[in-house]
Amino acid sequence: MTRSDPTAEDPDVLRDASGEALAAVRGLGAGAPVLAFDVGGTDIKSALFDADGTAHGLRRTPTPVVEGDRTEALIARLGVLAEELRAAHPDIEPRAVGLVVPGIVDADAGLGVFASNLGWHDSPLRDLASARLGLPVAFDHDVRAASWAERILGGARDYENAVVLVIGTGIAGALLVGGVPYTAGGYAGEIGHAPVAEGPICACGARGCLEAVASAGAIARRYHEATGVAPDGAKDVIARAAAGDPAARDIWNSALDALTFSLAQLTAVIAPEAVVIGGGLSRAGGALFDELRVRLAARLSFHRLPVLVPAELSGNAGLLGAALRAREVA
């Protein structure tokens, strides 16, 4: 499908992918007023933050769908959203913009290096957004920005060295080393695409990625493939496992083993003080956290075991990270 007008108004997305209503945004504290945009392959979360750090006009609108590279359509959509936010709140004059996107991101160069679901390659998103919006733009990777928000406001605030892991349809990660994100030109933190097994083939083209085994999407998909029954998401598979369903138990157990393996490798190599886990699977509670704690302790020996803690900022971490980054350039 190609939209004839990529800036046309679409209905707001009132619920997230799990079906839950859009959560309120935690305040940033005092600072410069800024616009913030968290762009995903499906929708864009946007808000205007005032000088007290309160979010105004929080909404999610569909990401424009066009054939090929979505850069031009996205920049046009951001322009419309910014105009609507400013018109609705004329007393708040933003001094900068925070823009975070998925894929491989070179934040220093302002480039969207690659995003398969958005079609761009080395797209100068920061400069294009700045020209369209008439404001300085802070540009970053969505999960890296989310990890920064968790570091400043959420579950990682007490830890300078931490891993932030978002387990949802896929698995995304970010590394905090010495209190700052470790980026390696945008390539660091791809925990979901670290190999943990010989198979299956991941959507990225590699073999045995963590995401292909242990993401919420993979858990539901693997159960469907094994039984022919379409579960109501990963939470349904976990519930079936607890009730004694052999297929569900095997799939959930293999997902936990894969996550444990990945966390053990991270513990041995970078020794994080904490692993902050967010995303839909984090709502499994003790079925996830307690199991991972026990399995990780059993797998390691002299290593410093990281504290496993839930993320605190829900689906708003990326937006808050965008706003925090924007204040740095305001």
Side-chain angles (χ1 to χ4, degrees):
M1 173 182 176
T2 301
R3 298 187 190 277
S4 58
D5 178 6
T7 68
E9 181 71 10
D10 280 309
D12 287 358
V13 179
L14 300 178
R15 298 183 179 275
D16 67 18
S18 72
E20 295 186 358
L22 214 53
V25 180
R26 181 174 297 190
L28 295 178
V34 295
L35 285 161
F37 299 100
D38 179 5
V39 175
T42 303
D43 54 65
I44 303 167
K45 186 174 283 188
S46 57
L48 176 61
F49 289 80
D50 64 20
D52 293 327
T54 301
H56 299 269
L58 171 66
R59 60 195 296 210
R60 287 176 74 161
T61 50
T63 305
V65 178
V66 296
E67 296 296 335
D69 189 338
R70 296 201 219 178
T71 297
E72 183 179 349
L74 173 63
I75 297 301
R77 176 61 57 82
L78 295 181
V80 170
L81 291 173
E83 289 163 5
E84 291 174 351
L85 282 165
R86 298 180 78 166
H89 306 280
D91 55 323
I92 304 172
E93 186 60 38
R95 289 165 41 190
V97 178
L99 171 61
V100 302
V101 301
I104 303 298
V105 172
D106 187 337
D108 292 335
L111 298 176
V113 177
F114 175 70
S116 59
N117 59 346
L118 292 165
W120 55 56
H121 295 265
D122 293 325
S123 181
L125 291 167
R126 181 185 62 197
D127 292 346
L128 291 171
S130 183
R132 176 65 178 82
L133 302 174
L135 290 167
V137 172
F139 179 65
D140 208 345
H141 183 265
D142 55 356
V143 177
R144 197 155 59 234
S147 76
W148 186 241
E150 289 287 348
R151 169 76 177 109
I152 300 300
L153 302 168
R157 62 183 172 274
D158 294 328
Y159 308 101
E160 288 201 344
N161 301 294
V163 171
V164 177
L165 201 58
V166 181
I167 312 175
T169 303
I171 295 180
L175 309 177
L176 291 162
V177 179
V180 298
Y182 175 71
T183 67
Y187 288 90
E190 291 290 344
I191 299 166
H193 295 288
V196 296
E198 288 303 309
I201 299 296
C202 180
C204 77
R207 188 173 70 250
C209 292
L210 178 65
E211 177 176 300
V213 177
S215 67
I219 290 167
R221 182 178 63 253
R222 293 172 62 210
Y223 184 82
H224 188 199
E225 291 170 352
T227 66
V229 175
D232 184 18
K235 63 182 180 181
D236 185 25
V237 178
I238 297 168
R240 290 169 184 260
D245 182 322
R249 189 171 55 239
D250 289 347
I251 288 164
W252 179 229
N253 187 61
S254 66
L256 288 168
D257 279 347
L259 286 166
T260 301
F261 179 83
S262 185
L263 294 183
Q265 294 281 44
L266 289 164
T267 299
V269 174
I270 64 171
E273 299 164 84
V275 177
V276 180
I277 303 176
L281 202 65
S282 68
R283 290 192 283 272
L288 175 69
F289 287 90
D290 292 346
E291 281 290 335
L292 287 179
R293 290 184 186 106
V294 170
R295 294 178 188 224
L296 190 58
R299 177 132 203 165
L300 298 174
S301 58
F302 65 88
H303 311 81
R304 179 180 67 185
L305 289 175
V307 178
L308 304 185
V309 296
E312 295 182 9
L313 303 179
S314 186
N316 294 320
L319 188 73
L320 288 164
L324 289 168
R325 288 302 190 204
R327 284 184 164 182
E328 296 174 9
V329 301

